[in-house]
Amino acid sequence: MSYIFISIFAMALATLFTRAFPFMLFSKRRPPKELIRSARLIPGAVMVVLVFTSLPMDLDIQSPEVWVPWLSVAVVAFLHLLFKHPLLSIFGGTAFYMFLIRLTAVTV
Amino acid sequence: MRPHVFAFKAALKTSLPVFFGYISIGFAFGFLLVKSGFHWLWAPLMCLVIFAGAAQFMAIGMLLQHKSPWEMGLAILLLNARHMVYGFSLLDRYSRFRRFKAYLIFGLTDETYGLLTTIDPPEGADPERFDFYVTALNHSYWTLGSTLGALTGSLISWNAPGIEFSMTALFTVLLVEQIRALKRPGPFLLALGVCMVLYFLGLQQHALLLGIIISAMGCFFLKREEPA
């Protein structure tokens, strides 16, 4: 209980810090171009890490179907490139994944 | 029409696209949180005090893995590093504001930033008040959606195996958007390489934190090359 409270507080503080940082740092002077340029690249790299680490990798312990999450990620990306509709891509890809794990679970 | 009402109505109209997105993604967040074993009340609380989409999804995973609050704070700090970029580009606009400035900075999500930088306050509306209403409306959509999702999740007993993939799906969508926006492979290949090395070394447990730190630092050493 208190663990969740403290964790939420830490995450709220961290989020607020990222949003307030530029205003605290550059309340008087202009930010250097180099910093803005590099900061712009970070989200892309972070997304790769997030996709990679959020993949249900422990799947291969129960079944041999390691390709299921990877294929589902490809489906999400494909749907998104095709329709450019975030909700459709997320729900479509998740439904596809849920269908596949049911299908492959039969073989376990 | 009183100016406050006018500004509110304009903000309501401006924030409508975010309404649909926040209600549904918020719903998914609340649902997932409850299905991960947490009380539904945590959903509105997290939305009220954190108010960050991807970060809150990531928080579910980290809470389940019993990461330390310190580790969670740092991971979110790096995940939300993109918000610093937003702040830099709004320094000028917000510098004139006083009354709602602190709240505007707190509520600077991707979507709020997108709206405020794309749509100008209408003629005759106080810009600070307009920006405040847009931010507060977005905040309320997000909280409402997650509360509805959490309540739904705690009412229906249907357990949806595989629903947690919606987190990966959300990140994949954001990744596609990033690839489209950046138009250069460097940061993506760098992060992919870092992740693969971490898994190869058997550091899966710390891949999230280490991966984000190493990739973020790596970005500062990538060749300077602006997209065309």
Side-chain angles (χ1 to χ4, degrees), chain B residues 42-210:
Chain B
W42 292 118
L45 183 74
M46 286 174 81
C47 290
L48 282 174
V49 305
I50 304 178
F51 191 25
Q56 285 181 223
F57 272 96
M58 189 166 85
I60 300 178
M62 290 193 296
L63 284 169
L64 283 176
Q65 290 168 37
H66 288 282
K67 299 277 184 203
S68 70
W70 185 86
E71 217 173 347
M72 283 188 226
L74 190 57
I76 301 253
L77 198 73
L78 291 157
L79 171 67
N80 284 347
R82 66 185 188 281
H83 291 149
M84 295 191 184
V85 185
Y86 302 166
F88 287 127
S89 60
L90 284 172
L91 283 173
D92 205 36
R93 179 176 178 144
Y94 284 3
S95 67
R96 289 166 289 141
F97 297 169
R98 287 286 169 270
R99 198 168 164 192
F100 300 115
K101 191 176 177 183
Y103 179 75
L104 285 170
I105 293 171
F106 159 80
L108 197 58
T109 62
D110 303 73
E111 289 74 14
T112 306
Y113 173 79
L115 286 183
L116 294 183
T117 50
T118 317
I119 298 160
D120 286 323
E123 200 78 28
D126 172 29
E128 180 168 10
R129 207 162 267 283
F130 174 79
D131 287 4
F132 168 70
Y133 285 143
V134 169
T135 308
L137 280 167
N138 287 350
H139 197 183
S140 65
Y141 304 152
W142 176 243
T143 310
L144 180 70
S146 84
T147 309
L148 289 176
L151 284 174
T152 307
S154 57
L155 285 177
I156 64 167
S157 57
W158 177 63
N159 223 325
I163 190 87
E164 71 280 358
F165 185 79
S166 56
M167 264 191 278
T168 311
L170 170 72
F171 296 140
T172 307
V173 165
L174 294 173
L175 173 62
V176 171
E177 293 292 342
Q178 286 293 332
I179 292 172
R180 234 200 306 252
L182 284 184
K183 295 187 178 76
R184 50 177 288 190
F188 306 102
L189 295 177
L190 170 84
L192 186 66
V194 169
C195 284
M196 281 161 63
V197 168
L198 287 173
Y199 272 74
F200 181 73
L201 292 175
L203 292 167
Q204 288 93 322
Q205 292 292 89
H206 310 287
L208 181 62
L209 192 64
L210 286 177

Side-chain angles (χ1 to χ4, degrees), chain A residues 3 8 12 14-15 18-19 22 26 34 37-38 40 43 45-46 50 52-54 72 80 84 87 94 97, chain B residues 24 51 58 66-67 72-73 79-80 82-84 88 105-106 108 165-166 168 177 180 191 220 224 226:
Chain A
Y3 162 72
I8 291 177
T15 304
T18 58
R19 290 173 186 168
F26 298 107
E34 187 66 19
R37 186 197 66 88
S38 295
R40 206 185 289 144
V46 168
L50 284 175
F52 206 96
T53 55
S54 72
S72 307
H80 199 62
K84 297 183 181 175
L87 294 175
T94 306
Y97 175 78
Chain B
S24 46
F51 191 25
M58 189 166 85
H66 288 282
K67 299 277 184 203
M72 283 188 226
L79 171 67
N80 284 347
R82 66 185 188 281
H83 291 149
M84 295 191 184
F88 287 127
I105 293 171
F106 159 80
L108 197 58
F165 185 79
S166 56
T168 311
E177 293 292 342
R180 234 200 306 252
F220 285 93
R224 59 182 312 152
E226 289 295 323

Side-chain angles (χ1 to χ4, degrees), chain A:
Chain A
M1 178 83 169
S2 64
Y3 162 72
I4 307 179
F5 256 121
I6 296 167
S7 303
I8 291 177
F9 180 72
M11 291 186 282
L13 211 64
T15 304
L16 184 62
F17 178 78
T18 58
R19 290 173 186 168
F21 181 72
F23 297 94
M24 300 190 301
L25 190 65
F26 298 107
S27 53
K28 296 283 183 288
R29 57 207 168 91
R30 308 280 304 169
K33 279 217 156 55
E34 187 66 19
L35 186 75
I36 295 179
R37 186 197 66 88
S38 295
R40 206 185 289 144
L41 301 178
I42 295 176
V46 168
M47 287 313 151
V48 173
V49 179
L50 284 175
V51 171
F52 206 96
T53 55
S54 72
L55 276 178
M57 295 275 201
D58 52 345
L59 203 73
D60 59 330
I61 296 165
Q62 295 130 20
S63 79
E65 319 299 347
V66 246
W67 50 270
V68 166
W70 292 102
L71 184 65
S72 307
V73 164
V75 166
V76 175
F78 179 72
L79 283 175
H80 199 62
L81 286 171
L82 209 61
F83 299 108
K84 297 183 181 175
H85 197 295
L87 294 175
L88 180 86
S89 322
I90 292 169
F91 289 130
T94 306
F96 179 77
Y97 175 78
M98 290 168 74
F99 172 72
L100 274 190
I101 57 168
R102 270 173 189 68
L103 205 70
T104 51
V106 181
T107 61
V108 179

